Amino acid sequence: MDVTGALVGLAITAIVVVPIAIAIQLDNPGSVFYSQTRCGFDGKPFRIWKFRSMITNAEQLQHTVKNEAKGNIFKSKDDPRITRVGKFLRRTSLDELPQFWNVLQGDMSLVGTRPPTVDEVNQYTARHWRRLKVKPGITGEWQTNGRSTISNFEDIVEMDLDYQRKWSIGYDLQLIFKTVQVVLKKHGAC
């Protein structure tokens, strides 16, 4: 299911990559893609890929932005580092299309847990580590039940553990269908 979904997703990405790349360059010249080290199954590090939605030196400026989240995540509702095109890409989830490459490589799944950063994982307790017992996904409980509105790390952990308890191919298909609905209606998008 992951391989088929990744191939379909990459075909869609190939169709939109040129207009997205042009829009990113016109808005804020620099790399079209953004990559970051994330932790996958059992904490194994991998490089996640996205279309760049922030200014080019965003990571160096993170300390200037107030973290509005609680726990081991960083979120800011009106993050000034997000570009105009980036806001559109995030609202429509188009920024996540390159992650189909991560799925094809086997680092991610179509459905799974939220892929954490290395800094987040370095602060994990034993309970938090349980969420890394499945591959991270492009979508999952967190994506379909709040997206960017979820600002408490413990809520994300509980959703990820709940996903593991409910897992089945049928449930994954249900979450994929629900993700399409959520993205089209732009529920919970920033």
Short mmCIF file of all heavy atoms in Angstrom, two decimals, residues 61-127:
data_model
loop_
_atom_site.label_atom_id
_atom_site.label_comp_id
_atom_site.label_asym_id
_atom_site.label_seq_id
_atom_site.Cartn_x
_atom_site.Cartn_y
_atom_site.Cartn_z
N LEU A 61 16.77 31.48 13.10
CA LEU A 61 15.94 32.51 13.74
C LEU A 61 14.86 31.94 14.67
O LEU A 61 14.06 32.69 15.21
CB LEU A 61 15.26 33.36 12.65
CG LEU A 61 16.21 34.15 11.74
CD1 LEU A 61 15.44 34.82 10.61
CD2 LEU A 61 16.97 35.18 12.55
N GLN A 62 14.86 30.64 14.87
CA GLN A 62 13.81 30.03 15.70
C GLN A 62 13.78 30.62 17.11
O GLN A 62 12.72 30.81 17.68
CB GLN A 62 13.98 28.51 15.77
CG GLN A 62 12.88 27.85 16.59
CD GLN A 62 12.91 26.34 16.51
OE1 GLN A 62 13.24 25.79 15.48
NE2 GLN A 62 12.58 25.69 17.61
N HIS A 63 14.96 30.96 17.64
CA HIS A 63 15.02 31.52 19.00
C HIS A 63 14.30 32.87 19.12
O HIS A 63 13.98 33.31 20.22
CB HIS A 63 16.48 31.65 19.45
CG HIS A 63 17.24 32.71 18.71
ND1 HIS A 63 17.76 32.51 17.45
CD2 HIS A 63 17.55 33.98 19.05
CE1 HIS A 63 18.37 33.60 17.04
NE2 HIS A 63 18.25 34.52 17.99
N THR A 64 14.03 33.52 18.00
CA THR A 64 13.35 34.82 18.02
C THR A 64 11.83 34.69 18.01
O THR A 64 11.12 35.69 18.12
CB THR A 64 13.78 35.69 16.82
OG1 THR A 64 13.31 35.09 15.60
CG2 THR A 64 15.29 35.86 16.76
N VAL A 65 11.33 33.46 17.86
CA VAL A 65 9.90 33.21 17.77
C VAL A 65 9.42 32.53 19.05
O VAL A 65 10.04 31.57 19.52
CB VAL A 65 9.57 32.33 16.54
CG1 VAL A 65 8.08 32.08 16.43
CG2 VAL A 65 10.09 32.99 15.27
N LYS A 66 8.32 33.02 19.59
CA LYS A 66 7.76 32.44 20.83
C LYS A 66 7.12 31.09 20.55
O LYS A 66 6.28 30.97 19.65
CB LYS A 66 6.73 33.39 21.43
CG LYS A 66 6.17 32.91 22.75
CD LYS A 66 5.15 33.89 23.31
CE LYS A 66 4.70 33.39 24.67
NZ LYS A 66 3.31 33.21 24.81
N ASN A 67 7.50 30.09 21.32
CA ASN A 67 6.89 28.77 21.21
C ASN A 67 5.55 28.79 21.95
O ASN A 67 5.50 29.03 23.15
CB ASN A 67 7.81 27.69 21.80
CG ASN A 67 7.28 26.29 21.60
OD1 ASN A 67 6.28 26.08 20.92
ND2 ASN A 67 7.94 25.33 22.20
N GLU A 68 4.46 28.54 21.21
CA GLU A 68 3.13 28.56 21.81
C GLU A 68 2.64 27.16 22.17
O GLU A 68 1.51 26.99 22.62
CB GLU A 68 2.15 29.23 20.84
CG GLU A 68 2.50 30.68 20.56
CD GLU A 68 1.69 31.28 19.42
OE1 GLU A 68 0.94 30.55 18.75
OE2 GLU A 68 1.82 32.50 19.21
N ALA A 69 3.50 26.17 21.96
CA ALA A 69 3.13 24.79 22.27
C ALA A 69 3.57 24.41 23.67
O ALA A 69 4.46 25.04 24.26
CB ALA A 69 3.73 23.84 21.25
N LYS A 70 2.96 23.36 24.17
CA LYS A 70 3.30 22.84 25.50
C LYS A 70 3.98 21.49 25.33
O LYS A 70 3.44 20.59 24.69
CB LYS A 70 2.02 22.69 26.32
CG LYS A 70 2.24 22.21 27.73
CD LYS A 70 0.94 22.12 28.47
CE LYS A 70 1.17 21.55 29.87
NZ LYS A 70 -0.08 21.33 30.58
N GLY A 71 5.19 21.36 25.87
CA GLY A 71 5.89 20.09 25.79
C GLY A 71 6.98 20.08 24.74
O GLY A 71 7.51 21.12 24.37
N ASN A 72 7.30 18.89 24.24
CA ASN A 72 8.44 18.68 23.35
C ASN A 72 8.15 18.94 21.88
O ASN A 72 8.56 18.17 21.01
CB ASN A 72 8.94 17.23 23.50
CG ASN A 72 9.46 16.94 24.87
OD1 ASN A 72 9.86 17.84 25.60
ND2 ASN A 72 9.46 15.68 25.25
N ILE A 73 7.45 20.00 21.57
CA ILE A 73 7.23 20.41 20.18
C ILE A 73 7.36 21.93 20.10
O ILE A 73 7.26 22.62 21.11
CB ILE A 73 5.84 19.97 19.63
CG1 ILE A 73 4.72 20.47 20.53
CG2 ILE A 73 5.79 18.49 19.42
CD1 ILE A 73 3.34 20.30 19.92
N PHE A 74 7.57 22.43 18.89
CA PHE A 74 7.64 23.88 18.67
C PHE A 74 6.55 24.27 17.69
O PHE A 74 6.48 23.73 16.59
CB PHE A 74 9.02 24.28 18.10
CG PHE A 74 9.16 25.76 17.98
CD1 PHE A 74 9.68 26.50 19.02
CD2 PHE A 74 8.75 26.43 16.83
CE1 PHE A 74 9.81 27.89 18.93
CE2 PHE A 74 8.87 27.81 16.72
CZ PHE A 74 9.40 28.54 17.77
N LYS A 75 5.69 25.19 18.11
CA LYS A 75 4.63 25.70 17.24
C LYS A 75 4.40 27.17 17.54
O LYS A 75 4.45 27.60 18.69
CB LYS A 75 3.31 24.96 17.46
CG LYS A 75 3.28 23.56 16.89
CD LYS A 75 1.91 22.93 17.08
CE LYS A 75 1.88 21.53 16.57
NZ LYS A 75 1.47 21.43 15.21
N SER A 76 4.15 27.93 16.49
CA SER A 76 3.80 29.33 16.63
C SER A 76 2.75 29.64 15.57
O SER A 76 3.01 29.48 14.37
CB SER A 76 5.04 30.22 16.43
OG SER A 76 4.67 31.58 16.53
N LYS A 77 1.58 30.04 16.00
CA LYS A 77 0.45 30.24 15.09
C LYS A 77 0.76 31.24 13.98
O LYS A 77 0.45 31.01 12.82
CB LYS A 77 -0.78 30.69 15.88
CG LYS A 77 -2.03 30.79 15.05
CD LYS A 77 -3.23 31.21 15.87
CE LYS A 77 -4.44 31.36 14.99
NZ LYS A 77 -5.60 31.89 15.70
N ASP A 78 1.35 32.36 14.35
CA ASP A 78 1.66 33.40 13.36
C ASP A 78 3.17 33.55 13.21
O ASP A 78 3.71 34.65 13.33
CB ASP A 78 1.01 34.73 13.76
CG ASP A 78 -0.50 34.65 13.75
OD1 ASP A 78 -1.04 34.15 12.75
OD2 ASP A 78 -1.13 35.08 14.73
N ASP A 79 3.85 32.45 12.93
CA ASP A 79 5.31 32.44 12.80
C ASP A 79 5.72 33.38 11.66
O ASP A 79 5.37 33.15 10.50
CB ASP A 79 5.78 31.01 12.52
CG ASP A 79 7.27 30.84 12.69
OD1 ASP A 79 8.03 31.79 12.40
OD2 ASP A 79 7.69 29.75 13.12
N PRO A 80 6.47 34.47 11.98
CA PRO A 80 6.85 35.43 10.94
C PRO A 80 7.84 34.88 9.92
O PRO A 80 8.07 35.50 8.88
CB PRO A 80 7.48 36.58 11.74
CG PRO A 80 7.95 35.94 13.00
CD PRO A 80 6.99 34.82 13.29
N ARG A 81 8.40 33.70 10.17
CA ARG A 81 9.37 33.10 9.24
C ARG A 81 8.69 32.43 8.05
O ARG A 81 9.32 32.14 7.05
CB ARG A 81 10.24 32.08 9.97
CG ARG A 81 11.03 32.67 11.13
CD ARG A 81 11.71 31.60 11.95
NE ARG A 81 10.72 30.68 12.50
CZ ARG A 81 11.00 29.44 12.93
NH1 ARG A 81 12.25 29.00 12.87
NH2 ARG A 81 10.07 28.66 13.41
N ILE A 82 7.38 32.20 8.16
CA ILE A 82 6.64 31.54 7.07
C ILE A 82 6.39 32.57 5.96
O ILE A 82 5.89 33.67 6.22
CB ILE A 82 5.31 30.96 7.57
CG1 ILE A 82 5.57 29.93 8.68
CG2 ILE A 82 4.54 30.31 6.43
CD1 ILE A 82 4.31 29.43 9.36
N THR A 83 6.72 32.20 4.74
CA THR A 83 6.53 33.11 3.60
C THR A 83 5.06 33.13 3.17
O THR A 83 4.27 32.30 3.61
CB THR A 83 7.40 32.66 2.41
OG1 THR A 83 6.94 31.37 1.97
CG2 THR A 83 8.87 32.58 2.78
N ARG A 84 4.72 34.06 2.29
CA ARG A 84 3.33 34.12 1.79
C ARG A 84 2.98 32.83 1.04
O ARG A 84 1.92 32.25 1.26
CB ARG A 84 3.14 35.33 0.87
CG ARG A 84 3.10 36.65 1.61
CD ARG A 84 3.07 37.81 0.65
NE ARG A 84 4.29 37.78 -0.16
CZ ARG A 84 4.45 38.36 -1.33
NH1 ARG A 84 3.46 39.03 -1.87
NH2 ARG A 84 5.59 38.28 -1.97
N VAL A 85 3.87 32.39 0.17
CA VAL A 85 3.64 31.13 -0.55
C VAL A 85 3.63 29.97 0.44
O VAL A 85 2.83 29.05 0.33
CB VAL A 85 4.71 30.92 -1.65
CG1 VAL A 85 4.67 29.51 -2.21
CG2 VAL A 85 4.52 31.95 -2.77
N GLY A 86 4.49 30.04 1.44
CA GLY A 86 4.56 29.00 2.47
C GLY A 86 3.24 28.84 3.22
O GLY A 86 2.84 27.72 3.53
N LYS A 87 2.57 29.95 3.50
CA LYS A 87 1.27 29.87 4.17
C LYS A 87 0.27 29.09 3.32
O LYS A 87 -0.48 28.27 3.82
CB LYS A 87 0.74 31.27 4.47
CG LYS A 87 1.46 31.95 5.61
CD LYS A 87 0.92 33.34 5.86
CE LYS A 87 1.76 34.02 6.94
NZ LYS A 87 1.38 35.40 7.16
N PHE A 88 0.28 29.37 2.02
CA PHE A 88 -0.61 28.64 1.11
C PHE A 88 -0.23 27.15 1.05
O PHE A 88 -1.11 26.28 1.12
CB PHE A 88 -0.54 29.26 -0.30
CG PHE A 88 -1.27 28.45 -1.33
CD1 PHE A 88 -2.65 28.50 -1.43
CD2 PHE A 88 -0.56 27.62 -2.20
CE1 PHE A 88 -3.32 27.74 -2.38
CE2 PHE A 88 -1.23 26.86 -3.14
CZ PHE A 88 -2.61 26.91 -3.23
N LEU A 89 1.06 26.87 0.94
CA LEU A 89 1.51 25.48 0.87
C LEU A 89 1.11 24.70 2.12
O LEU A 89 0.67 23.56 2.04
CB LEU A 89 3.02 25.41 0.67
CG LEU A 89 3.57 25.93 -0.66
CD1 LEU A 89 5.09 25.92 -0.65
CD2 LEU A 89 3.03 25.14 -1.83
N ARG A 90 1.24 25.34 3.27
CA ARG A 90 0.87 24.67 4.53
C ARG A 90 -0.64 24.50 4.66
O ARG A 90 -1.11 23.46 5.10
CB ARG A 90 1.41 25.45 5.72
CG ARG A 90 2.91 25.31 5.88
CD ARG A 90 3.40 26.10 7.05
NE ARG A 90 4.82 25.85 7.27
CZ ARG A 90 5.39 25.90 8.46
NH1 ARG A 90 4.70 26.20 9.53
NH2 ARG A 90 6.68 25.67 8.58
N ARG A 91 -1.38 25.53 4.31
CA ARG A 91 -2.85 25.47 4.42
C ARG A 91 -3.42 24.36 3.55
O ARG A 91 -4.39 23.71 3.91
CB ARG A 91 -3.44 26.83 4.04
CG ARG A 91 -4.85 27.06 4.48
CD ARG A 91 -5.31 28.51 4.33
NE ARG A 91 -4.98 29.11 3.06
CZ ARG A 91 -4.06 30.07 2.88
NH1 ARG A 91 -3.37 30.54 3.88
NH2 ARG A 91 -3.82 30.56 1.68
N THR A 92 -2.79 24.12 2.41
CA THR A 92 -3.26 23.09 1.47
C THR A 92 -2.50 21.77 1.61
O THR A 92 -2.80 20.82 0.89
CB THR A 92 -3.10 23.60 0.02
OG1 THR A 92 -1.71 23.92 -0.19
CG2 THR A 92 -3.96 24.82 -0.24
N SER A 93 -1.52 21.73 2.51
CA SER A 93 -0.65 20.56 2.74
C SER A 93 0.21 20.21 1.52
O SER A 93 0.79 19.13 1.47
CB SER A 93 -1.45 19.34 3.19
OG SER A 93 -2.02 19.57 4.46
N LEU A 94 0.31 21.11 0.56
CA LEU A 94 1.17 20.86 -0.60
C LEU A 94 2.65 20.79 -0.22
O LEU A 94 3.44 20.14 -0.90
CB LEU A 94 0.96 21.94 -1.67
CG LEU A 94 -0.38 21.91 -2.41
CD1 LEU A 94 -0.54 23.16 -3.27
CD2 LEU A 94 -0.47 20.66 -3.27
N ASP A 95 3.02 21.45 0.88
CA ASP A 95 4.41 21.42 1.32
C ASP A 95 4.87 20.01 1.67
O ASP A 95 6.06 19.71 1.64
CB ASP A 95 4.63 22.36 2.52
CG ASP A 95 3.84 21.96 3.76
OD1 ASP A 95 2.66 21.57 3.62
OD2 ASP A 95 4.39 22.03 4.87
N GLU A 96 3.93 19.12 1.95
CA GLU A 96 4.28 17.76 2.38
C GLU A 96 4.40 16.76 1.24
O GLU A 96 4.80 15.61 1.46
CB GLU A 96 3.26 17.28 3.42
CG GLU A 96 3.24 18.21 4.63
CD GLU A 96 2.53 17.65 5.83
OE1 GLU A 96 2.28 16.44 5.85
OE2 GLU A 96 2.25 18.43 6.74
N LEU A 97 4.10 17.16 0.02
CA LEU A 97 4.16 16.22 -1.10
C LEU A 97 5.52 15.53 -1.28
O LEU A 97 5.55 14.33 -1.58
CB LEU A 97 3.75 16.92 -2.41
CG LEU A 97 2.26 17.24 -2.56
CD1 LEU A 97 2.02 18.03 -3.85
CD2 LEU A 97 1.42 15.98 -2.54
N PRO A 98 6.65 16.23 -1.09
CA PRO A 98 7.93 15.52 -1.26
C PRO A 98 8.14 14.36 -0.27
O PRO A 98 9.01 13.53 -0.49
CB PRO A 98 8.97 16.63 -1.04
CG PRO A 98 8.27 17.88 -1.45
CD PRO A 98 6.85 17.67 -0.97
N GLN A 99 7.33 14.28 0.78
CA GLN A 99 7.46 13.18 1.73
C GLN A 99 7.09 11.83 1.11
O GLN A 99 7.44 10.78 1.65
CB GLN A 99 6.61 13.44 2.97
CG GLN A 99 7.15 14.56 3.83
CD GLN A 99 6.24 14.86 5.00
OE1 GLN A 99 5.69 13.96 5.61
NE2 GLN A 99 6.09 16.14 5.30
N PHE A 100 6.43 11.85 -0.05
CA PHE A 100 6.16 10.58 -0.73
C PHE A 100 7.49 9.91 -1.11
O PHE A 100 7.55 8.68 -1.20
CB PHE A 100 5.28 10.78 -1.97
CG PHE A 100 3.84 11.03 -1.61
CD1 PHE A 100 3.26 12.28 -1.81
CD2 PHE A 100 3.05 10.02 -1.07
CE1 PHE A 100 1.94 12.51 -1.47
CE2 PHE A 100 1.72 10.24 -0.74
CZ PHE A 100 1.16 11.49 -0.94
N TRP A 101 8.54 10.70 -1.30
CA TRP A 101 9.87 10.13 -1.55
C TRP A 101 10.36 9.38 -0.30
O TRP A 101 10.92 8.30 -0.39
CB TRP A 101 10.86 11.24 -1.94
CG TRP A 101 12.24 10.73 -2.16
CD1 TRP A 101 13.34 10.96 -1.39
CD2 TRP A 101 12.69 9.86 -3.22
NE1 TRP A 101 14.44 10.30 -1.89
CE2 TRP A 101 14.06 9.62 -3.02
CE3 TRP A 101 12.05 9.28 -4.30
CZ2 TRP A 101 14.82 8.82 -3.87
CZ3 TRP A 101 12.81 8.47 -5.16
CH2 TRP A 101 14.17 8.26 -4.94
N ASN A 102 10.12 9.97 0.90
CA ASN A 102 10.47 9.30 2.15
C ASN A 102 9.72 7.98 2.30
O ASN A 102 10.28 7.01 2.81
CB ASN A 102 10.16 10.20 3.36
CG ASN A 102 11.07 11.40 3.44
OD1 ASN A 102 10.62 12.53 3.30
ND2 ASN A 102 12.36 11.18 3.64
N VAL A 103 8.47 7.96 1.85
CA VAL A 103 7.68 6.72 1.92
C VAL A 103 8.27 5.68 0.97
O VAL A 103 8.46 4.52 1.34
CB VAL A 103 6.18 6.99 1.59
CG1 VAL A 103 5.40 5.67 1.53
CG2 VAL A 103 5.57 7.92 2.62
N LEU A 104 8.59 6.09 -0.25
CA LEU A 104 9.16 5.16 -1.23
C LEU A 104 10.50 4.59 -0.74
O LEU A 104 10.80 3.43 -0.96
CB LEU A 104 9.33 5.85 -2.58
CG LEU A 104 9.64 4.94 -3.76
CD1 LEU A 104 8.51 3.94 -4.01
CD2 LEU A 104 9.89 5.76 -5.02
N GLN A 105 11.28 5.41 -0.03
CA GLN A 105 12.57 4.96 0.51
C GLN A 105 12.40 4.04 1.72
O GLN A 105 13.36 3.40 2.14
CB GLN A 105 13.43 6.15 0.91
CG GLN A 105 13.99 6.91 -0.27
CD GLN A 105 14.94 8.00 0.20
OE1 GLN A 105 14.59 8.84 1.00
NE2 GLN A 105 16.16 7.95 -0.30
N GLY A 106 11.21 4.01 2.30
CA GLY A 106 10.96 3.15 3.46
C GLY A 106 11.16 3.80 4.81
O GLY A 106 11.05 3.14 5.84
N ASP A 107 11.48 5.11 4.83
CA ASP A 107 11.67 5.81 6.10
C ASP A 107 10.35 6.21 6.75
O ASP A 107 10.28 6.40 7.96
CB ASP A 107 12.52 7.08 5.91
CG ASP A 107 13.95 6.75 5.51
OD1 ASP A 107 14.50 5.78 6.07
OD2 ASP A 107 14.50 7.46 4.64
N MET A 108 9.33 6.36 5.92
CA MET A 108 8.02 6.76 6.40
C MET A 108 6.96 5.86 5.80
O MET A 108 7.24 5.10 4.88
CB MET A 108 7.71 8.23 6.02
CG MET A 108 8.56 9.25 6.73
SD MET A 108 8.17 10.96 6.23
CE MET A 108 6.55 11.18 6.95
N SER A 109 5.75 5.98 6.31
CA SER A 109 4.60 5.28 5.79
C SER A 109 3.57 6.31 5.37
O SER A 109 3.69 7.49 5.73
CB SER A 109 4.04 4.36 6.89
OG SER A 109 3.00 3.56 6.39
N LEU A 110 2.56 5.91 4.61
CA LEU A 110 1.50 6.85 4.29
C LEU A 110 0.80 7.30 5.56
O LEU A 110 0.48 8.48 5.73
CB LEU A 110 0.47 6.22 3.33
CG LEU A 110 0.97 5.88 1.93
CD1 LEU A 110 -0.13 5.18 1.15
CD2 LEU A 110 1.44 7.12 1.19
N VAL A 111 0.55 6.36 6.47
CA VAL A 111 -0.12 6.65 7.73
C VAL A 111 0.77 6.18 8.87
O VAL A 111 1.37 5.11 8.80
CB VAL A 111 -1.49 5.93 7.81
CG1 VAL A 111 -2.21 6.30 9.10
CG2 VAL A 111 -2.35 6.25 6.60
N GLY A 112 0.87 7.00 9.90
CA GLY A 112 1.69 6.63 11.05
C GLY A 112 1.66 7.72 12.09
O GLY A 112 0.70 8.49 12.18
N THR A 113 2.72 7.81 12.85
CA THR A 113 2.82 8.81 13.90
C THR A 113 3.49 10.07 13.36
O THR A 113 4.10 10.04 12.29
CB THR A 113 3.64 8.25 15.09
OG1 THR A 113 4.91 7.84 14.61
CG2 THR A 113 2.93 7.06 15.72
N ARG A 114 3.39 11.16 14.09
CA ARG A 114 4.02 12.41 13.68
C ARG A 114 5.54 12.23 13.77
O ARG A 114 6.05 11.80 14.81
CB ARG A 114 3.57 13.54 14.61
CG ARG A 114 4.19 14.88 14.28
CD ARG A 114 3.84 15.91 15.38
NE ARG A 114 4.76 17.03 15.30
CZ ARG A 114 5.96 17.06 15.86
NH1 ARG A 114 6.42 16.03 16.54
NH2 ARG A 114 6.72 18.13 15.73
N PRO A 115 6.31 12.55 12.71
CA PRO A 115 7.77 12.36 12.76
C PRO A 115 8.46 13.43 13.61
O PRO A 115 8.47 14.59 13.25
CB PRO A 115 8.19 12.46 11.28
CG PRO A 115 7.09 13.23 10.62
CD PRO A 115 5.84 13.00 11.40
N PRO A 116 9.03 13.05 14.76
CA PRO A 116 9.64 14.03 15.66
C PRO A 116 11.05 14.44 15.24
O PRO A 116 11.74 13.71 14.53
CB PRO A 116 9.69 13.28 17.00
CG PRO A 116 9.85 11.85 16.60
CD PRO A 116 9.08 11.69 15.31
N THR A 117 11.46 15.61 15.72
CA THR A 117 12.83 16.07 15.49
C THR A 117 13.76 15.38 16.49
O THR A 117 13.33 14.82 17.50
CB THR A 117 12.94 17.60 15.67
OG1 THR A 117 12.69 17.92 17.05
CG2 THR A 117 11.97 18.35 14.76
N VAL A 118 15.05 15.46 16.23
CA VAL A 118 16.05 14.88 17.12
C VAL A 118 15.99 15.57 18.49
O VAL A 118 16.07 14.91 19.53
CB VAL A 118 17.46 14.98 16.51
CG1 VAL A 118 18.53 14.51 17.49
CG2 VAL A 118 17.53 14.18 15.21
N ASP A 119 15.84 16.90 18.50
CA ASP A 119 15.76 17.64 19.76
C ASP A 119 14.58 17.17 20.61
O ASP A 119 14.69 17.06 21.83
CB ASP A 119 15.63 19.15 19.51
CG ASP A 119 16.90 19.77 18.96
OD1 ASP A 119 17.97 19.15 19.11
OD2 ASP A 119 16.82 20.87 18.39
N GLU A 120 13.44 16.90 19.95
CA GLU A 120 12.28 16.41 20.69
C GLU A 120 12.58 15.05 21.31
O GLU A 120 12.32 14.82 22.50
CB GLU A 120 11.07 16.29 19.76
CG GLU A 120 10.52 17.61 19.28
CD GLU A 120 9.51 17.47 18.15
OE1 GLU A 120 9.02 16.34 17.90
OE2 GLU A 120 9.21 18.48 17.51
N VAL A 121 13.15 14.15 20.52
CA VAL A 121 13.41 12.78 20.98
C VAL A 121 14.43 12.76 22.12
O VAL A 121 14.33 11.94 23.04
CB VAL A 121 13.86 11.89 19.80
CG1 VAL A 121 14.34 10.53 20.29
CG2 VAL A 121 12.72 11.72 18.81
N ASN A 122 15.37 13.70 22.11
CA ASN A 122 16.37 13.77 23.18
C ASN A 122 15.73 14.06 24.54
O ASN A 122 16.36 13.83 25.58
CB ASN A 122 17.43 14.81 22.87
CG ASN A 122 18.39 14.34 21.80
OD1 ASN A 122 18.55 13.16 21.57
ND2 ASN A 122 19.04 15.29 21.13
N GLN A 123 14.50 14.55 24.55
CA GLN A 123 13.81 14.88 25.80
C GLN A 123 12.73 13.85 26.15
O GLN A 123 11.97 14.05 27.08
CB GLN A 123 13.17 16.26 25.69
CG GLN A 123 14.18 17.37 25.42
CD GLN A 123 13.48 18.70 25.20
OE1 GLN A 123 12.65 19.11 25.99
NE2 GLN A 123 13.81 19.37 24.11
N TYR A 124 12.66 12.76 25.41
CA TYR A 124 11.61 11.77 25.61
C TYR A 124 11.73 11.01 26.92
O TYR A 124 12.83 10.70 27.38
CB TYR A 124 11.61 10.75 24.46
CG TYR A 124 10.83 11.16 23.24
CD1 TYR A 124 10.36 12.45 23.07
CD2 TYR A 124 10.55 10.24 22.24
CE1 TYR A 124 9.65 12.81 21.95
CE2 TYR A 124 9.83 10.58 21.11
CZ TYR A 124 9.39 11.88 20.97
OH TYR A 124 8.67 12.23 19.86
N THR A 125 10.56 10.65 27.46
CA THR A 125 10.48 9.70 28.56
C THR A 125 10.19 8.32 27.94
O THR A 125 9.97 8.22 26.72
CB THR A 125 9.33 10.06 29.52
OG1 THR A 125 8.08 9.92 28.82
CG2 THR A 125 9.48 11.48 30.06
N ALA A 126 10.14 7.29 28.76
CA ALA A 126 9.86 5.94 28.24
C ALA A 126 8.51 5.90 27.54
O ALA A 126 8.36 5.25 26.50
CB ALA A 126 9.90 4.93 29.39
N ARG A 127 7.51 6.60 28.07
CA ARG A 127 6.17 6.62 27.45
C ARG A 127 6.24 7.23 26.05
O ARG A 127 5.62 6.75 25.11
CB ARG A 127 5.20 7.41 28.32
CG ARG A 127 3.82 7.53 27.73
CD ARG A 127 2.88 8.27 28.70
NE ARG A 127 1.54 8.35 28.15
CZ ARG A 127 1.11 9.37 27.40
NH1 ARG A 127 1.91 10.37 27.11
NH2 ARG A 127 -0.13 9.37 26.94
#
